[in-house]
Amino acid sequence: MSQIHTLTMPKWGLSMTEGRIDTWLKQEGEHISKGDEVLDVETDKISSSVEAPFSGVLRRQIARPDETLAVGALLAVVVEGEASDAQIDAVVQRFQADFVPGDGAEQDSGPAPQKVELGGHRVRYFDLGEGGTPLVLIHGFCGDLNNWMFNHPALAAERRVIALDLPGHGESGKHLQRGDLDELSQSVLALLDHLDLGRVHLAGHSMGGAVALNLARLAPARVQSLSLIASAGLGREINGGYLQGIVAAANRNALKPQMTQLFSDPGLVTRQMLEDMLRFKRLEGVDEALRQLADALASDGVQRHDLRPVVAQQPTLVLWGSDDAIIPATHVDGLPAEVAILPGQGHMVQLEAAEQVNARLLAFLRGH
Amino acid sequence: MARKISYQQAINEALAQEMRRDPTVFIIGEDVAGGAGAPGENDAWGGVLGVTKGLYGQFPGRVLDAPLSEIGYVGAAVGAATQGLRPVCELMFVDFAGCCLDQILNQAAKFRYMYGGKAVTPLVMRTMVGAGLRAAAQHSQMLTSLWTHIPGLKVVCPSSPYDAKGLLIQAIRDNDPVIFCEHKLLYSLQGEVPEEVYTVPFGEANFLRDGDDITLVTYGRMVHLAMEAAANLARQGIDCEVLDLRTTSPMDEDSILESVEKTGRLVVIDEANPRCSMATDISALVAQKAFGALKGSIEMVTAPHTPVPFSDALEDLYIPTAAKIEAAVHTVMKGRNAA
Amino acid sequence: MSTHLNTEQLLHAYRVMRTIRAFEERLHIEFATGEIPGFVHLYAGEEASAAGVMAHLRDSDCIASNHRGHGHCIAKGVDVHGMMAEIYGKKTGVCGGKGGSMHIADLEKGMLGANGIVGAGAPLVAGAALAAKLKGTDDVAVVFFGDGGSNEGAVFEAMNLAAIMNLPCIFVAENNGYAEATASNWSVACDHIADRAAGFGMPGVTIDGYDFFAVHEAAGAAIERARSGQGPSLVEVKLTRYYGHFEGDAQTYRAPDEVKNLRETRDCLMQFRQRTTRAGLLGDAQLDLVDAQVEDLIEDAVRRAKSDPKPQPADLLSDVYVAYP
């Protein structure tokens, strides 16, 4: 039995409304498997590959290189089994006739992040998927839930996945009380309580890894497993110059050299990414919160928290980019965990090598 | 996705948030509430175009209707600013500066220097600028260069709701007198604006588009025309870098020069009259400090050296257009080929 | 005569007037040497006005003055050496040598500045009064302008604004008979500047500006009215200036012996001494002592001002903004 699939422009992150086609990675007539990268798309914030959510033969490339298309627009037709050109034409025609590119407001009719007041502090979280033991995604220093834009939907295909903005970050409240790791971990716990989640999988990136480890230390019964990506808390060294630099940077020229340290491909640091970071840093309270947290995390390039003993408490997956310029991948040495080092990758490995990270995470979570 | 509000709402929100935070902030101007002493509603207008609507109710006693008396109430705002308050006075149309210029030119702008650094005058004068409303010669001017010429003043001209809120909060917190120019055609423009308080620093241009072929420098409403032109030119294979100055005093000279050093070409777009304008000022800056990088002539796209006409047939010719910007870009690009 | 002022207050008033007179007369001499840059407008002859009004004010009350501002500054408590150094264009001047005679200011003393723009102080002072009202203090604000300034639209707008907002503001019109070289009885359309108060719904009085006690009483009533929330007043003080509009003005527009006659018959310092000593309120010896102390003060101020350093080249570029990236 044959099936005609339409591959459409994905929505990466909360604000994406359109994307520009860069290059096709698969040609018409080629067989593609689910998970294969089919084409490269760039947005004003980031560029990445569109993965096939199904297998089949790429029968029709609809989108042209350099063309800018709205989220949801038709990119390609992939056929499992047999279909005539006429049948494909009919599908394309019907799709194009029905397709209405949404503006920003209409995009919001899909799943959207929520905000809740917990202990006098506003917390934003984004709840996707359902079923299974829920997974909570915890971003790193200066990040927000958009750091998971290439992971969150893929992971949510198999379970409920909640990404949050830590205090001082994203659209959560900016004022910190103590400005230490415990405060961050407790804010995650407060969200778990609010959502009535007894036991969860935690995944944390960078500082978010330390937040997850520390949560497991504070409340071991709540943690089913840990997935730590380029995590803090597992060794001494951290790039102190980056931490101080990102805190101090007040304009794009100061920010750019810091942000490029995060990626293996510096070209990913777009004008819009810098602008978004500046917009975050201009919010009242952010500067103070970041200074507090930077001090709480490290001093002169040495991390203050050794959370390695927590790793053995529960099943733990540790992922790292081999070329991480912020926290060295050597911190995986000797950890009682499932470890994978992704060659050639930098600190933002979950963004840059999203499909590999997603595959590792999904496999790990299925097993625990 | 962040919340979207209009340029006008962004200004209103900035005022409300700063008035809530700082009890020394107050608003004074003609009909900023509207209805003072009249038998009907208070806050009947909330500003002639409703920008301050609703603030009167939230901050009774701090949103003050003034008589039609620009010397009187602008001067009073200047005086109050020297006494520890942070007035936001509204000069309805910048054209009315003719009435009260002394209080800005000779008083507010001069105090700090003239008094040997001992005075602070944290005044904000919000004022509507720009053509396009068929409002003719006395309600449509773009007097940015007039203010920019005066040492002691800071001059702000936001192009987006985001910038309008952040720059206005910065202006209110700033300890120097600030002329805050609001383009009347931008009031309904929607854009993403954080609900939280934030400031956008002065003297930091916004790179709205990165490009290697030519630099377009502009500010205010012209930013949108420059972006439209840049999008059209991109389809023709010309990559424009678009800089929004945000503030003309202080002006981000470094970013202008950095961009022109990269592209080697410059078009300045200014809605104001051309003589002694931001356009000539920026052209002179680049000619002086980045001469070696230039691959072609510097072009300026401005209004003509005339008052703003009334008839739509004429006003539409007066205001720069994306097509005129594109033509200017082509002129500069040809210069390279000819050379 | 009778007065409710005590000895200390009387001596203070005399000291203020004497200091102004000595300051201005010394400037008249020093200006002729060519050592003083720019131009100066002397207040000699008008001392009773500044002293009579300022006797009611405290540092938190604000005043704005005009081009003829030395007397207001001294009466408001601005440092005399700092003023002299400012007039000499020295770094030690109250404005670091950047303001000069027409822009002496000391905001900590509530002196919002002399002003080179005629009438410009009136809206500023309305603003200071508005600030006091919004802050909920009982401070008042006073603007001094001349018969020339009384014709400026800025003054009219400020008076109207002060009246409709019921601001604690006092408008003091020092009518010395001449706006530059033009007579006020020609340039002012009504009989008395004070008559204009009625048009703005505020009280207006005309008083003898040679008589310290008359000024003191009238100003006191207006200031008390403002302080107690009853709104603005206009006080017209009629007086004369002994010197020209600015130094170097030969005053050929005035009648021969006009100044000489007024000096001999009406001089405010002379009247004050005669009345207080005749009434037994003060003794000549007390007043002579003040005269001597003031002479020393002025001599010291001039000597130091002359030898004080000038501003440095770097001062040219500083203090334009609080912060300018």
Side-chain angles (χ1 to χ4, degrees), chain C residues 33-165:
Chain C
T33 70
E35 210 175 325
I36 294 174
F39 38 96
V40 292
H41 308 79
L42 301 182
Y43 193 73
E46 307 189 8
E47 292 86 349
S49 175
V53 174
M54 250 64 88
H56 300 281
L57 301 183
R58 48 202 190 207
D59 283 355
S60 58
D61 294 323
C62 185
I63 69 160
S65 174
N66 51 60
H67 56 286
R68 197 174 307 288
H70 302 164
H72 305 129
C73 294
I74 290 170
K76 196 71 173 63
V78 181
D79 179 64
V80 166
H81 161 255
M83 289 177 59
M84 193 64 84
E86 187 61 35
I87 291 165
Y88 272 87
K90 297 304 179 70
K91 172 100 176 160
T92 52
V94 287
C95 303
K98 288 178 169 177
S101 166
M102 272 190 288
H103 306 301
I104 294 171
D106 186 344
L107 282 100
E108 286 183 10
K109 292 281 181 193
M111 172 59 204
L112 183 47
N115 210 310
I117 307 298
V118 174
L124 296 173
V125 149
L130 175 62
K133 185 170 174 168
L134 290 175
K135 286 191 273 190
T137 71
D138 68 346
D139 292 333
V140 302
V142 183
V143 59
F144 294 89
F145 53 93
D147 42 292
S150 80
N151 289 332
E152 288 283 356
V155 174
F156 299 154
E157 291 198 14
M159 287 175 73
N160 185 61
L161 189 76
I164 62 167
M165 291 189 163

Side-chain angles (χ1 to χ4, degrees), chain A residues 55-85:
Chain A
S55 301
V57 175
L58 177 59
R59 290 287 296 273
R60 198 70 61 82
Q61 294 176 342
I62 306 291
R64 301 283 148 231
D66 286 336
E67 198 175 0
T68 297
L69 293 170
V71 167
L74 186 59
L75 300 175
V77 177
V78 176
V79 177
E80 271 179 272
E82 299 296 324
S84 68
D85 282 343

Side-chain angles (χ1 to χ4, degrees), chain A residues 126-271:
Chain A
F126 192 14
D127 200 340
L128 284 179
E130 48 197 49
T133 303
L135 167 66
V136 176
L137 304 174
I138 309 170
H139 64 78
F141 186 67
C142 270
D144 65 19
L145 54 79
N146 281 314
N147 289 167
W148 305 104
M149 67 171 115
F150 297 140
N151 319 103
H152 198 170
L155 299 171
E158 299 191 6
R159 70 186 67 245
R160 184 177 181 192
V161 183
I162 297 141
L164 80 157
D165 288 339
L166 288 170
H169 291 79
E171 293 185 24
S172 288
K174 301 303 181 297
H175 178 70
L176 302 178
Q177 275 158 345
R178 297 183 312 275
D180 58 17
L181 202 54
D182 281 357
E183 184 175 354
L184 299 187
S185 299
Q186 274 153 2
S187 74
V188 179
L189 271 172
L191 180 65
L192 299 186
D193 291 344
H194 169 73
L195 296 173
D196 222 5
L197 303 177
R199 201 168 160 84
V200 296
H201 299 288
L202 292 178
H205 172 247
S206 193
M207 177 185 79
V211 173
L213 281 160
N214 191 48
L215 192 156
R217 182 182 67 81
L218 295 168
R222 306 294 290 271
V223 182
Q224 178 93 8
S225 79
L226 282 180
S227 297
L228 306 173
I229 304 168
S231 180
L234 298 175
R236 270 175 59 85
E237 303 84 359
I238 188 163
N239 185 335
Y242 165 80
L243 279 181
Q244 298 309 317
I246 197 103
V247 170
N251 55 54
R252 80 175 204 152
N253 282 346
L255 202 54
K256 194 167 184 179
Q258 305 304 337
M259 297 281 285
T260 50
Q261 296 192 70
L262 292 169
F263 295 89
S264 63
D265 174 8
L268 287 175
V269 181
T270 60
R271 188 197 61 74

Side-chain angles (χ1 to χ4, degrees), chain B residues 200-218:
Chain B
V200 172
F202 290 172
E204 203 176 297
N206 193 9
F207 284 74
L208 282 167
R209 189 180 175 112
D210 287 337
D212 292 327
D213 294 329
I214 188 164
T215 301
L216 310 184
V217 176
T218 186

Side-chain angles (χ1 to χ4, degrees), chain B residues 53-124:
Chain B
K53 185 81 177 165
L55 298 174
Y56 178 87
Q58 292 176 64
F59 306 100
R62 292 166 64 194
V63 179
L64 307 177
D65 275 342
L68 304 192
S69 194
E70 287 81 7
I71 312 176
Y73 79 82
V74 172
V78 175
T82 67
Q83 303 300 307
L85 298 187
R86 292 186 178 273
V88 180
C89 81
E90 180 178 315
L91 184 66
M92 192 182 290
F93 292 90
V94 75
D95 316 69
F96 302 172
C99 298
C100 61
L101 189 58
D102 175 67
Q103 290 295 331
I104 302 297
L105 167 70
N106 286 317
Q107 311 302 329
K110 300 291 192 284
F111 284 162
R112 185 158 185 81
Y113 194 80
M114 199 162 73
Y115 299 161
K118 289 179 196 152
V120 288
T121 312
L123 167 84
V124 179

